[in-house]
Amino acid sequence: MKTPSIALKANAKSTVIDILNARLADAIDLALIVKQAHWNLKGTNFIAVHEMLDPMRTAIDGHVDIIAERVAQLDGIALGTSQIVAKSSTLTAYPTDIRKIPDHLQALAERFASLANQVREDIDATDEAGDADAADILTAFSRDLDKNLWFIKSHLE
């Protein structure tokens, strides 16, 4: 007896799984980057920025879980090990030699913007592949990335 599954064509599932796994790697990387900044901030407004970053990390972790679960729902394997993330993330490596808050905020803004722009492209690609649910998942992720980019940029201006 065949087990029922989500009614998407195999090529659509494959396309969406590949897109979601790529964003999964980036999202896990961004979550680690946010924590790297959180731990190493120094300077004026320390507590405000330090406390701003924890909810950002929590939100990213929520999206990581939803993205990975959608991969599994599509009968794929969610690829989220540290080895895969290190190899697959499209984000620029985060500098580990910075301490000043403006330097961290600039580095964070660059990575949030890069991922947000990629996610917007992926919303269209998953929708075109026929998976409106994956597009919706990415839309929610995009909204959070944009909001947090705005928070970060507001500290820089």
Side-chain angles (χ1 to χ4, degrees), residues 89-124:
S89 178
T90 63
L91 299 181
T92 304
Y94 195 80
T96 57
D97 61 346
I98 58 175
R99 292 180 184 256
K100 293 180 181 177
I101 289 173
D103 296 337
H104 279 289
L105 292 172
Q106 183 63 39
L108 288 168
E110 290 166 2
R111 284 148 187 87
F112 270 83
S114 173
L115 184 52
N117 291 329
Q118 180 60 59
V119 168
R120 268 187 288 288
E121 289 180 24
D122 294 336
I123 292 166
D124 293 338

PDB file of all heavy atoms in Angstrom, residues 89-124:
ATOM      1  N   SER A  89      26.378  27.501   3.329  1.00  0.00           N
ATOM      2  CA  SER A  89      25.852  28.848   3.555  1.00  0.00           C
ATOM      3  C   SER A  89      26.370  29.807   2.490  1.00  0.00           C
ATOM      4  O   SER A  89      27.545  29.785   2.128  1.00  0.00           O
ATOM      5  CB  SER A  89      26.248  29.368   4.936  1.00  0.00           C
ATOM      6  OG  SER A  89      25.773  30.699   5.105  1.00  0.00           O
ATOM      7  N   THR A  90      25.452  30.642   2.011  1.00  0.00           N
ATOM      8  CA  THR A  90      25.841  31.658   1.024  1.00  0.00           C
ATOM      9  C   THR A  90      26.213  32.979   1.683  1.00  0.00           C
ATOM     10  O   THR A  90      26.608  33.924   0.992  1.00  0.00           O
ATOM     11  CB  THR A  90      24.701  31.897   0.006  1.00  0.00           C
ATOM     12  OG1 THR A  90      23.571  32.420   0.689  1.00  0.00           O
ATOM     13  CG2 THR A  90      24.334  30.618  -0.729  1.00  0.00           C
ATOM     14  N   LEU A  91      26.082  33.057   3.008  1.00  0.00           N
ATOM     15  CA  LEU A  91      26.414  34.294   3.706  1.00  0.00           C
ATOM     16  C   LEU A  91      27.927  34.477   3.769  1.00  0.00           C
ATOM     17  O   LEU A  91      28.676  33.509   3.928  1.00  0.00           O
ATOM     18  CB  LEU A  91      25.839  34.281   5.121  1.00  0.00           C
ATOM     19  CG  LEU A  91      24.321  34.165   5.228  1.00  0.00           C
ATOM     20  CD1 LEU A  91      23.903  34.180   6.693  1.00  0.00           C
ATOM     21  CD2 LEU A  91      23.618  35.248   4.452  1.00  0.00           C
ATOM     22  N   THR A  92      28.347  35.707   3.673  1.00  0.00           N
ATOM     23  CA  THR A  92      29.760  36.030   3.815  1.00  0.00           C
ATOM     24  C   THR A  92      30.198  35.687   5.236  1.00  0.00           C
ATOM     25  O   THR A  92      29.468  35.943   6.205  1.00  0.00           O
ATOM     26  CB  THR A  92      29.982  37.541   3.559  1.00  0.00           C
ATOM     27  OG1 THR A  92      29.465  37.848   2.274  1.00  0.00           O
ATOM     28  CG2 THR A  92      31.437  37.908   3.638  1.00  0.00           C
ATOM     29  N   ALA A  93      31.381  35.115   5.365  1.00  0.00           N
ATOM     30  CA  ALA A  93      31.900  34.753   6.686  1.00  0.00           C
ATOM     31  C   ALA A  93      31.879  35.965   7.610  1.00  0.00           C
ATOM     32  O   ALA A  93      32.237  37.077   7.203  1.00  0.00           O
ATOM     33  CB  ALA A  93      33.307  34.194   6.564  1.00  0.00           C
ATOM     34  N   TYR A  94      31.457  35.743   8.835  1.00  0.00           N
ATOM     35  CA  TYR A  94      31.355  36.830   9.806  1.00  0.00           C
ATOM     36  C   TYR A  94      32.723  37.086  10.427  1.00  0.00           C
ATOM     37  O   TYR A  94      33.418  36.142  10.836  1.00  0.00           O
ATOM     38  CB  TYR A  94      30.343  36.469  10.904  1.00  0.00           C
ATOM     39  CG  TYR A  94      29.916  37.646  11.729  1.00  0.00           C
ATOM     40  CD1 TYR A  94      28.955  38.524  11.246  1.00  0.00           C
ATOM     41  CD2 TYR A  94      30.471  37.896  12.975  1.00  0.00           C
ATOM     42  CE1 TYR A  94      28.546  39.620  11.988  1.00  0.00           C
ATOM     43  CE2 TYR A  94      30.070  38.996  13.722  1.00  0.00           C
ATOM     44  CZ  TYR A  94      29.109  39.847  13.227  1.00  0.00           C
ATOM     45  OH  TYR A  94      28.712  40.937  13.964  1.00  0.00           O
ATOM     46  N   PRO A  95      33.130  38.346  10.529  1.00  0.00           N
ATOM     47  CA  PRO A  95      34.434  38.629  11.137  1.00  0.00           C
ATOM     48  C   PRO A  95      34.420  38.308  12.636  1.00  0.00           C
ATOM     49  O   PRO A  95      33.493  38.690  13.344  1.00  0.00           O
ATOM     50  CB  PRO A  95      34.625  40.134  10.897  1.00  0.00           C
ATOM     51  CG  PRO A  95      33.260  40.680  10.640  1.00  0.00           C
ATOM     52  CD  PRO A  95      32.434  39.558  10.094  1.00  0.00           C
ATOM     53  N   THR A  96      35.424  37.608  13.085  1.00  0.00           N
ATOM     54  CA  THR A  96      35.496  37.232  14.500  1.00  0.00           C
ATOM     55  C   THR A  96      36.472  38.099  15.280  1.00  0.00           C
ATOM     56  O   THR A  96      36.766  37.822  16.434  1.00  0.00           O
ATOM     57  CB  THR A  96      35.897  35.747  14.645  1.00  0.00           C
ATOM     58  OG1 THR A  96      37.141  35.535  13.968  1.00  0.00           O
ATOM     59  CG2 THR A  96      34.818  34.839  14.077  1.00  0.00           C
ATOM     60  N   ASP A  97      36.949  39.164  14.646  1.00  0.00           N
ATOM     61  CA  ASP A  97      37.920  40.034  15.307  1.00  0.00           C
ATOM     62  C   ASP A  97      37.352  41.430  15.588  1.00  0.00           C
ATOM     63  O   ASP A  97      38.110  42.367  15.836  1.00  0.00           O
ATOM     64  CB  ASP A  97      39.189  40.142  14.466  1.00  0.00           C
ATOM     65  CG  ASP A  97      38.939  40.731  13.081  1.00  0.00           C
ATOM     66  OD1 ASP A  97      37.760  40.814  12.660  1.00  0.00           O
ATOM     67  OD2 ASP A  97      39.923  41.094  12.416  1.00  0.00           O
ATOM     68  N   ILE A  98      36.035  41.572  15.565  1.00  0.00           N
ATOM     69  CA  ILE A  98      35.434  42.885  15.814  1.00  0.00           C
ATOM     70  C   ILE A  98      34.769  42.902  17.182  1.00  0.00           C
ATOM     71  O   ILE A  98      34.313  41.867  17.681  1.00  0.00           O
ATOM     72  CB  ILE A  98      34.420  43.286  14.706  1.00  0.00           C
ATOM     73  CG1 ILE A  98      33.302  42.261  14.566  1.00  0.00           C
ATOM     74  CG2 ILE A  98      35.140  43.478  13.382  1.00  0.00           C
ATOM     75  CD1 ILE A  98      32.203  42.657  13.573  1.00  0.00           C
ATOM     76  N   ARG A  99      34.718  44.108  17.773  1.00  0.00           N
ATOM     77  CA  ARG A  99      34.100  44.276  19.084  1.00  0.00           C
ATOM     78  C   ARG A  99      33.150  45.469  19.128  1.00  0.00           C
ATOM     79  O   ARG A  99      32.167  45.449  19.841  1.00  0.00           O
ATOM     80  CB  ARG A  99      35.172  44.467  20.155  1.00  0.00           C
ATOM     81  CG  ARG A  99      36.001  43.249  20.398  1.00  0.00           C
ATOM     82  CD  ARG A  99      37.038  43.533  21.463  1.00  0.00           C
ATOM     83  NE  ARG A  99      37.906  42.390  21.624  1.00  0.00           N
ATOM     84  CZ  ARG A  99      37.824  41.544  22.644  1.00  0.00           C
ATOM     85  NH1 ARG A  99      36.946  41.721  23.572  1.00  0.00           N
ATOM     86  NH2 ARG A  99      38.657  40.531  22.719  1.00  0.00           N
ATOM     87  N   LYS A 100      33.476  46.521  18.396  1.00  0.00           N
ATOM     88  CA  LYS A 100      32.698  47.749  18.475  1.00  0.00           C
ATOM     89  C   LYS A 100      31.299  47.529  17.905  1.00  0.00           C
ATOM     90  O   LYS A 100      31.132  46.904  16.858  1.00  0.00           O
ATOM     91  CB  LYS A 100      33.405  48.885  17.729  1.00  0.00           C
ATOM     92  CG  LYS A 100      34.699  49.285  18.392  1.00  0.00           C
ATOM     93  CD  LYS A 100      35.369  50.398  17.637  1.00  0.00           C
ATOM     94  CE  LYS A 100      36.681  50.759  18.339  1.00  0.00           C
ATOM     95  NZ  LYS A 100      37.402  51.787  17.606  1.00  0.00           N
ATOM     96  N   ILE A 101      30.322  48.074  18.606  1.00  0.00           N
ATOM     97  CA  ILE A 101      28.930  47.898  18.221  1.00  0.00           C
ATOM     98  C   ILE A 101      28.666  48.309  16.764  1.00  0.00           C
ATOM     99  O   ILE A 101      28.039  47.538  16.030  1.00  0.00           O
ATOM    100  CB  ILE A 101      27.993  48.606  19.217  1.00  0.00           C
ATOM    101  CG1 ILE A 101      28.004  47.841  20.538  1.00  0.00           C
ATOM    102  CG2 ILE A 101      26.577  48.732  18.671  1.00  0.00           C
ATOM    103  CD1 ILE A 101      27.271  48.501  21.678  1.00  0.00           C
ATOM    104  N   PRO A 102      29.127  49.480  16.307  1.00  0.00           N
ATOM    105  CA  PRO A 102      28.847  49.838  14.907  1.00  0.00           C
ATOM    106  C   PRO A 102      29.401  48.819  13.901  1.00  0.00           C
ATOM    107  O   PRO A 102      28.776  48.568  12.876  1.00  0.00           O
ATOM    108  CB  PRO A 102      29.513  51.206  14.738  1.00  0.00           C
ATOM    109  CG  PRO A 102      29.591  51.765  16.115  1.00  0.00           C
ATOM    110  CD  PRO A 102      29.808  50.581  17.024  1.00  0.00           C
ATOM    111  N   ASP A 103      30.552  48.232  14.212  1.00  0.00           N
ATOM    112  CA  ASP A 103      31.126  47.223  13.318  1.00  0.00           C
ATOM    113  C   ASP A 103      30.236  45.982  13.268  1.00  0.00           C
ATOM    114  O   ASP A 103      29.999  45.417  12.193  1.00  0.00           O
ATOM    115  CB  ASP A 103      32.537  46.840  13.763  1.00  0.00           C
ATOM    116  CG  ASP A 103      33.515  48.000  13.670  1.00  0.00           C
ATOM    117  OD1 ASP A 103      33.256  48.950  12.887  1.00  0.00           O
ATOM    118  OD2 ASP A 103      34.539  47.958  14.386  1.00  0.00           O
ATOM    119  N   HIS A 104      29.760  45.549  14.426  1.00  0.00           N
ATOM    120  CA  HIS A 104      28.856  44.398  14.469  1.00  0.00           C
ATOM    121  C   HIS A 104      27.547  44.714  13.750  1.00  0.00           C
ATOM    122  O   HIS A 104      27.041  43.893  12.978  1.00  0.00           O
ATOM    123  CB  HIS A 104      28.565  43.970  15.912  1.00  0.00           C
ATOM    124  CG  HIS A 104      29.636  43.132  16.507  1.00  0.00           C
ATOM    125  ND1 HIS A 104      29.866  41.827  16.110  1.00  0.00           N
ATOM    126  CD2 HIS A 104      30.535  43.400  17.479  1.00  0.00           C
ATOM    127  CE1 HIS A 104      30.866  41.323  16.818  1.00  0.00           C
ATOM    128  NE2 HIS A 104      31.299  42.262  17.652  1.00  0.00           N
ATOM    129  N   LEU A 105      27.003  45.891  14.006  1.00  0.00           N
ATOM    130  CA  LEU A 105      25.731  46.247  13.367  1.00  0.00           C
ATOM    131  C   LEU A 105      25.861  46.298  11.854  1.00  0.00           C
ATOM    132  O   LEU A 105      24.979  45.833  11.121  1.00  0.00           O
ATOM    133  CB  LEU A 105      25.211  47.572  13.920  1.00  0.00           C
ATOM    134  CG  LEU A 105      24.763  47.540  15.383  1.00  0.00           C
ATOM    135  CD1 LEU A 105      24.445  48.943  15.869  1.00  0.00           C
ATOM    136  CD2 LEU A 105      23.588  46.604  15.586  1.00  0.00           C
ATOM    137  N   GLN A 106      26.966  46.841  11.357  1.00  0.00           N
ATOM    138  CA  GLN A 106      27.187  46.885   9.912  1.00  0.00           C
ATOM    139  C   GLN A 106      27.304  45.470   9.350  1.00  0.00           C
ATOM    140  O   GLN A 106      26.702  45.157   8.320  1.00  0.00           O
ATOM    141  CB  GLN A 106      28.448  47.697   9.581  1.00  0.00           C
ATOM    142  CG  GLN A 106      28.702  47.861   8.106  1.00  0.00           C
ATOM    143  CD  GLN A 106      27.605  48.635   7.388  1.00  0.00           C
ATOM    144  OE1 GLN A 106      27.069  49.612   7.911  1.00  0.00           O
ATOM    145  NE2 GLN A 106      27.246  48.192   6.195  1.00  0.00           N
ATOM    146  N   ALA A 107      28.060  44.629  10.017  1.00  0.00           N
ATOM    147  CA  ALA A 107      28.236  43.247   9.553  1.00  0.00           C
ATOM    148  C   ALA A 107      26.906  42.490   9.589  1.00  0.00           C
ATOM    149  O   ALA A 107      26.596  41.717   8.676  1.00  0.00           O
ATOM    150  CB  ALA A 107      29.292  42.541  10.399  1.00  0.00           C
ATOM    151  N   LEU A 108      26.128  42.710  10.630  1.00  0.00           N
ATOM    152  CA  LEU A 108      24.811  42.065  10.725  1.00  0.00           C
ATOM    153  C   LEU A 108      23.875  42.579   9.632  1.00  0.00           C
ATOM    154  O   LEU A 108      23.181  41.783   8.981  1.00  0.00           O
ATOM    155  CB  LEU A 108      24.195  42.311  12.098  1.00  0.00           C
ATOM    156  CG  LEU A 108      24.813  41.558  13.262  1.00  0.00           C
ATOM    157  CD1 LEU A 108      24.300  42.112  14.591  1.00  0.00           C
ATOM    158  CD2 LEU A 108      24.550  40.059  13.158  1.00  0.00           C
ATOM    159  N   ALA A 109      23.857  43.887   9.421  1.00  0.00           N
ATOM    160  CA  ALA A 109      22.974  44.469   8.404  1.00  0.00           C
ATOM    161  C   ALA A 109      23.281  43.881   7.028  1.00  0.00           C
ATOM    162  O   ALA A 109      22.357  43.551   6.271  1.00  0.00           O
ATOM    163  CB  ALA A 109      23.116  45.993   8.390  1.00  0.00           C
ATOM    164  N   GLU A 110      24.539  43.731   6.713  1.00  0.00           N
ATOM    165  CA  GLU A 110      24.923  43.168   5.409  1.00  0.00           C
ATOM    166  C   GLU A 110      24.387  41.752   5.249  1.00  0.00           C
ATOM    167  O   GLU A 110      23.869  41.389   4.183  1.00  0.00           O
ATOM    168  CB  GLU A 110      26.448  43.180   5.260  1.00  0.00           C
ATOM    169  CG  GLU A 110      27.021  44.577   5.108  1.00  0.00           C
ATOM    170  CD  GLU A 110      28.529  44.635   5.287  1.00  0.00           C
ATOM    171  OE1 GLU A 110      29.179  43.569   5.509  1.00  0.00           O
ATOM    172  OE2 GLU A 110      29.075  45.759   5.220  1.00  0.00           O
ATOM    173  N   ARG A 111      24.474  40.949   6.276  1.00  0.00           N
ATOM    174  CA  ARG A 111      24.046  39.559   6.185  1.00  0.00           C
ATOM    175  C   ARG A 111      22.523  39.423   6.214  1.00  0.00           C
ATOM    176  O   ARG A 111      21.959  38.604   5.490  1.00  0.00           O
ATOM    177  CB  ARG A 111      24.725  38.743   7.277  1.00  0.00           C
ATOM    178  CG  ARG A 111      26.179  38.480   6.887  1.00  0.00           C
ATOM    179  CD  ARG A 111      27.120  38.410   8.071  1.00  0.00           C
ATOM    180  NE  ARG A 111      28.503  38.333   7.596  1.00  0.00           N
ATOM    181  CZ  ARG A 111      29.258  39.415   7.315  1.00  0.00           C
ATOM    182  NH1 ARG A 111      28.762  40.635   7.461  1.00  0.00           N
ATOM    183  NH2 ARG A 111      30.490  39.280   6.889  1.00  0.00           N
ATOM    184  N   PHE A 112      21.852  40.227   7.040  1.00  0.00           N
ATOM    185  CA  PHE A 112      20.388  40.215   7.044  1.00  0.00           C
ATOM    186  C   PHE A 112      19.861  40.637   5.675  1.00  0.00           C
ATOM    187  O   PHE A 112      18.935  40.018   5.144  1.00  0.00           O
ATOM    188  CB  PHE A 112      19.828  41.126   8.143  1.00  0.00           C
ATOM    189  CG  PHE A 112      19.612  40.438   9.453  1.00  0.00           C
ATOM    190  CD1 PHE A 112      20.656  40.268  10.353  1.00  0.00           C
ATOM    191  CD2 PHE A 112      18.356  39.967   9.817  1.00  0.00           C
ATOM    192  CE1 PHE A 112      20.461  39.645  11.569  1.00  0.00           C
ATOM    193  CE2 PHE A 112      18.149  39.340  11.028  1.00  0.00           C
ATOM    194  CZ  PHE A 112      19.204  39.171  11.916  1.00  0.00           C
ATOM    195  N   ALA A 113      20.432  41.692   5.094  1.00  0.00           N
ATOM    196  CA  ALA A 113      19.981  42.177   3.787  1.00  0.00           C
ATOM    197  C   ALA A 113      20.229  41.134   2.703  1.00  0.00           C
ATOM    198  O   ALA A 113      19.359  40.886   1.855  1.00  0.00           O
ATOM    199  CB  ALA A 113      20.674  43.492   3.439  1.00  0.00           C
ATOM    200  N   SER A 114      21.387  40.532   2.715  1.00  0.00           N
ATOM    201  CA  SER A 114      21.718  39.514   1.718  1.00  0.00           C
ATOM    202  C   SER A 114      20.726  38.361   1.767  1.00  0.00           C
ATOM    203  O   SER A 114      20.195  37.929   0.737  1.00  0.00           O
ATOM    204  CB  SER A 114      23.141  39.007   1.970  1.00  0.00           C
ATOM    205  OG  SER A 114      23.446  37.925   1.130  1.00  0.00           O
ATOM    206  N   LEU A 115      20.458  37.856   2.962  1.00  0.00           N
ATOM    207  CA  LEU A 115      19.532  36.735   3.097  1.00  0.00           C
ATOM    208  C   LEU A 115      18.104  37.153   2.759  1.00  0.00           C
ATOM    209  O   LEU A 115      17.384  36.423   2.073  1.00  0.00           O
ATOM    210  CB  LEU A 115      19.612  36.134   4.502  1.00  0.00           C
ATOM    211  CG  LEU A 115      18.758  34.885   4.737  1.00  0.00           C
ATOM    212  CD1 LEU A 115      19.001  33.814   3.670  1.00  0.00           C
ATOM    213  CD2 LEU A 115      19.017  34.332   6.129  1.00  0.00           C
ATOM    214  N   ALA A 116      17.693  38.328   3.200  1.00  0.00           N
ATOM    215  CA  ALA A 116      16.335  38.797   2.900  1.00  0.00           C
ATOM    216  C   ALA A 116      16.117  38.901   1.394  1.00  0.00           C
ATOM    217  O   ALA A 116      15.060  38.497   0.884  1.00  0.00           O
ATOM    218  CB  ALA A 116      16.080  40.149   3.571  1.00  0.00           C
ATOM    219  N   ASN A 117      17.095  39.406   0.681  1.00  0.00           N
ATOM    220  CA  ASN A 117      16.972  39.528  -0.772  1.00  0.00           C
ATOM    221  C   ASN A 117      16.908  38.158  -1.446  1.00  0.00           C
ATOM    222  O   ASN A 117      16.125  37.950  -2.377  1.00  0.00           O
ATOM    223  CB  ASN A 117      18.110  40.369  -1.338  1.00  0.00           C
ATOM    224  CG  ASN A 117      17.975  41.826  -0.928  1.00  0.00           C
ATOM    225  OD1 ASN A 117      16.874  42.330  -0.742  1.00  0.00           O
ATOM    226  ND2 ASN A 117      19.098  42.498  -0.764  1.00  0.00           N
ATOM    227  N   GLN A 118      17.704  37.216  -0.963  1.00  0.00           N
ATOM    228  CA  GLN A 118      17.665  35.862  -1.520  1.00  0.00           C
ATOM    229  C   GLN A 118      16.327  35.186  -1.226  1.00  0.00           C
ATOM    230  O   GLN A 118      15.755  34.527  -2.091  1.00  0.00           O
ATOM    231  CB  GLN A 118      18.814  35.013  -0.956  1.00  0.00           C
ATOM    232  CG  GLN A 118      18.834  33.600  -1.504  1.00  0.00           C
ATOM    233  CD  GLN A 118      18.985  33.567  -3.013  1.00  0.00           C
ATOM    234  OE1 GLN A 118      19.962  34.083  -3.544  1.00  0.00           O
ATOM    235  NE2 GLN A 118      18.041  32.964  -3.715  1.00  0.00           N
ATOM    236  N   VAL A 119      15.836  35.365  -0.023  1.00  0.00           N
ATOM    237  CA  VAL A 119      14.553  34.756   0.349  1.00  0.00           C
ATOM    238  C   VAL A 119      13.429  35.293  -0.533  1.00  0.00           C
ATOM    239  O   VAL A 119      12.551  34.535  -0.955  1.00  0.00           O
ATOM    240  CB  VAL A 119      14.259  34.957   1.857  1.00  0.00           C
ATOM    241  CG1 VAL A 119      12.820  34.603   2.198  1.00  0.00           C
ATOM    242  CG2 VAL A 119      15.220  34.121   2.695  1.00  0.00           C
ATOM    243  N   ARG A 120      13.464  36.577  -0.840  1.00  0.00           N
ATOM    244  CA  ARG A 120      12.441  37.132  -1.737  1.00  0.00           C
ATOM    245  C   ARG A 120      12.467  36.444  -3.104  1.00  0.00           C
ATOM    246  O   ARG A 120      11.421  36.136  -3.679  1.00  0.00           O
ATOM    247  CB  ARG A 120      12.597  38.646  -1.868  1.00  0.00           C
ATOM    248  CG  ARG A 120      11.759  39.404  -0.863  1.00  0.00           C
ATOM    249  CD  ARG A 120      11.795  40.896  -1.116  1.00  0.00           C
ATOM    250  NE  ARG A 120      13.079  41.474  -0.754  1.00  0.00           N
ATOM    251  CZ  ARG A 120      13.488  41.633   0.504  1.00  0.00           C
ATOM    252  NH1 ARG A 120      12.720  41.280   1.498  1.00  0.00           N
ATOM    253  NH2 ARG A 120      14.665  42.170   0.752  1.00  0.00           N
ATOM    254  N   GLU A 121      13.648  36.191  -3.629  1.00  0.00           N
ATOM    255  CA  GLU A 121      13.755  35.456  -4.896  1.00  0.00           C
ATOM    256  C   GLU A 121      13.189  34.045  -4.750  1.00  0.00           C
ATOM    257  O   GLU A 121      12.516  33.533  -5.650  1.00  0.00           O
ATOM    258  CB  GLU A 121      15.211  35.378  -5.346  1.00  0.00           C
ATOM    259  CG  GLU A 121      15.790  36.694  -5.815  1.00  0.00           C
ATOM    260  CD  GLU A 121      17.243  36.563  -6.255  1.00  0.00           C
ATOM    261  OE1 GLU A 121      17.668  35.441  -6.631  1.00  0.00           O
ATOM    262  OE2 GLU A 121      17.952  37.588  -6.213  1.00  0.00           O
ATOM    263  N   ASP A 122      13.451  33.426  -3.612  1.00  0.00           N
ATOM    264  CA  ASP A 122      12.991  32.055  -3.372  1.00  0.00           C
ATOM    265  C   ASP A 122      11.486  31.968  -3.178  1.00  0.00           C
ATOM    266  O   ASP A 122      10.889  30.923  -3.458  1.00  0.00           O
ATOM    267  CB  ASP A 122      13.723  31.463  -2.167  1.00  0.00           C
ATOM    268  CG  ASP A 122      15.210  31.277  -2.430  1.00  0.00           C
ATOM    269  OD1 ASP A 122      15.606  31.165  -3.605  1.00  0.00           O
ATOM    270  OD2 ASP A 122      15.975  31.256  -1.445  1.00  0.00           O
ATOM    271  N   ILE A 123      10.875  33.035  -2.707  1.00  0.00           N
ATOM    272  CA  ILE A 123       9.410  33.054  -2.601  1.00  0.00           C
ATOM    273  C   ILE A 123       8.826  32.843  -3.990  1.00  0.00           C
ATOM    274  O   ILE A 123       7.941  31.998  -4.189  1.00  0.00           O
ATOM    275  CB  ILE A 123       8.910  34.385  -1.992  1.00  0.00           C
ATOM    276  CG1 ILE A 123       9.318  34.497  -0.521  1.00  0.00           C
ATOM    277  CG2 ILE A 123       7.394  34.520  -2.148  1.00  0.00           C
ATOM    278  CD1 ILE A 123       9.166  35.898   0.059  1.00  0.00           C
ATOM    279  N   ASP A 124       9.324  33.596  -4.955  1.00  0.00           N
ATOM    280  CA  ASP A 124       8.844  33.469  -6.332  1.00  0.00           C
ATOM    281  C   ASP A 124       9.152  32.086  -6.900  1.00  0.00           C
ATOM    282  O   ASP A 124       8.304  31.471  -7.557  1.00  0.00           O
ATOM    283  CB  ASP A 124       9.462  34.547  -7.224  1.00  0.00           C
ATOM    284  CG  ASP A 124       8.987  35.946  -6.869  1.00  0.00           C
ATOM    285  OD1 ASP A 124       7.903  36.075  -6.254  1.00  0.00           O
ATOM    286  OD2 ASP A 124       9.690  36.910  -7.215  1.00  0.00           O
TER     287      ASP A 124
END
